[in-house]
């Protein structure tokens, strides 16, 4: 199993550009989520999904869109990048939110918006 | 709203020492508490998951305990090694809720 994979590893964007961060998992997990990690702010939840076709907002959803057309994939879209979106982005997955369900994380995407 | 804190924020110890990292949470109605390790510039690696019905979990030199009533968990690292140097994060999720992370403890184990 590859686990949770993310692409790209690094990305530099100019203000106003759009892009999609890719996330995939091969563990048949229903629950997937996106976090951003900033110095002094810890990990904050952007969006999450409890299954294909179902998504919802987390703590900091503004400026980001998600969709979940398959169980395996959960892409994160930046519609018009802003310098405030410079961060490290992590995708995570688990079987669900119930007792005993361990979260697994991808290696992250380091994004810089100029 | 669940809040998670970790003490200390940073810790430096000589190799071979046993050490304890602390995690506190405000809402005790949790499903799980998970400890992670993060190396600089890397992702999060799961260390231990404690279910709400459990009081502790062990993996090698690591032992994590959970006291729901007091809203506390500890991660005990025995015979620390320089390779243990990393940031350690705890995360909890309440019934039907997403995980909430603590700010982490940055550990340095000196040779």
């Amino acid at each position: 199993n590859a686990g949770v994979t993310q692409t790209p590893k690094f990305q530099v964007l100019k203000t106003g550009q759009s892009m999609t961060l890719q996330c995939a998992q091969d563990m048949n997990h229903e629950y997937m989520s996106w976090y951003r990690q900033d110095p002094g702010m810890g990990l904050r939840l952007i969006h999450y999904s409890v299954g294909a076709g179902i998504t919802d907002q987390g703590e900091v959803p503004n400026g980001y869109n998600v969709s979940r057309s398959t169980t395996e994939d959960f892409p994160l879209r930046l519609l018009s990048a802003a310098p405030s979106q410079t961060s490290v982005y992590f995708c995570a997955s688990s079987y669900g939110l119930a007792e005993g369900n361990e979260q697994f994380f991808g290696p992250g995407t380091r994004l810089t918006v100029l | 709203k669940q809040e998670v804190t970790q003490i200390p924020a940073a810790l430096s110890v000589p190799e071979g020492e046993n050490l304890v990292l602390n995690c506190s949470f405000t809402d005790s109605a949790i499903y799980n508490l998970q400890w992670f390790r993060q190396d600089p510039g890397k992702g999060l690696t799961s260390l231990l998951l404690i279910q709400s019905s459990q009081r502790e979990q062990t993996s090698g030199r690591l032992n994590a305990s959970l006291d729901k009533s007091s809203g506390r968990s500890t991660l005990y690292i025995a015979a620390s090694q320089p390779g243990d140097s990393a940031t350690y994060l705890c995360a909890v999720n309440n019934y039907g809720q997403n995980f909430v992370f603590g700010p982490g403890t940055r550990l340095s184990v000196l040779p």
Side-chain angles (χ1 to χ4, degrees), chain A residues 6-113:
Chain A
Q6 291 184 239
T7 56
K9 284 186 169 55
F10 301 94
Q11 184 71 49
V12 179
L13 292 178
K14 294 181 180 178
T15 297
Q17 287 185 317
S18 63
M19 77 159 297
T20 300
L21 280 63
Q22 301 291 345
C23 174
Q25 51 88 14
D26 62 358
M27 297 174 280
N28 202 32
H29 285 168
E30 290 294 326
Y31 179 85
M32 296 185 74
S33 56
W34 277 101
Y35 294 87
R36 59 179 289 174
Q37 186 176 38
D38 303 290
M41 302 293 291
L43 277 151
R44 293 181 292 170
L45 183 66
I46 305 172
H47 284 284
Y48 66 98
S49 168
V50 297
I54 306 169
T55 64
D56 206 345
Q57 297 180 350
E59 181 184 356
V60 288
N62 292 343
Y64 308 95
N65 274 0
V66 292
S67 60
R68 184 96 179 270
S69 57
T70 67
T71 298
E72 294 78 18
D73 300 297
F74 190 43
L76 178 72
R77 297 183 184 85
L78 282 70
L79 303 176
S80 178
S84 62
Q85 294 179 304
T86 294
S87 186
V88 182
Y89 291 85
F90 290 103
C91 179
S93 75
S94 71
Y95 282 112
L97 295 175
E99 188 174 14
N101 288 335
E102 187 176 2
Q103 274 203 113
F104 297 90
F105 277 75
T109 294
R110 191 173 297 272
L111 175 68
T112 301
V113 183

Side-chain angles (χ1 to χ4, degrees), chain B residues 27 44 57 63 75 87:
Chain B
D27 185 346
L44 280 71
Q57 283 285 348
N63 176 276
L75 179 66
T87 296

Side-chain angles (χ1 to χ4, degrees), chain B residues 15-73:
Chain B
E15 181 177 5
E17 274 204 5
N18 302 323
L19 57 99
V20 174
L21 307 180
N22 297 291
C23 172
S24 297
F25 47 94
T26 55
D27 185 346
S28 62
I30 64 170
Y31 263 157
N32 304 288
L33 186 143
Q34 193 168 356
W35 282 95
F36 295 88
R37 167 189 174 135
Q38 185 176 30
D39 294 289
K42 303 292 186 182
L44 280 71
T45 300
S46 179
L47 297 173
L48 291 164
L49 172 76
I50 310 178
Q51 301 176 38
S52 63
S53 56
Q54 299 172 327
R55 292 195 60 88
E56 67 177 321
Q57 283 285 348
T58 298
S59 176
R61 294 182 293 108
L62 305 179
N63 176 276
S65 67
L66 174 64
D67 184 344
K68 276 182 34 176
S69 61
S70 66
R72 292 180 184 177
S73 175

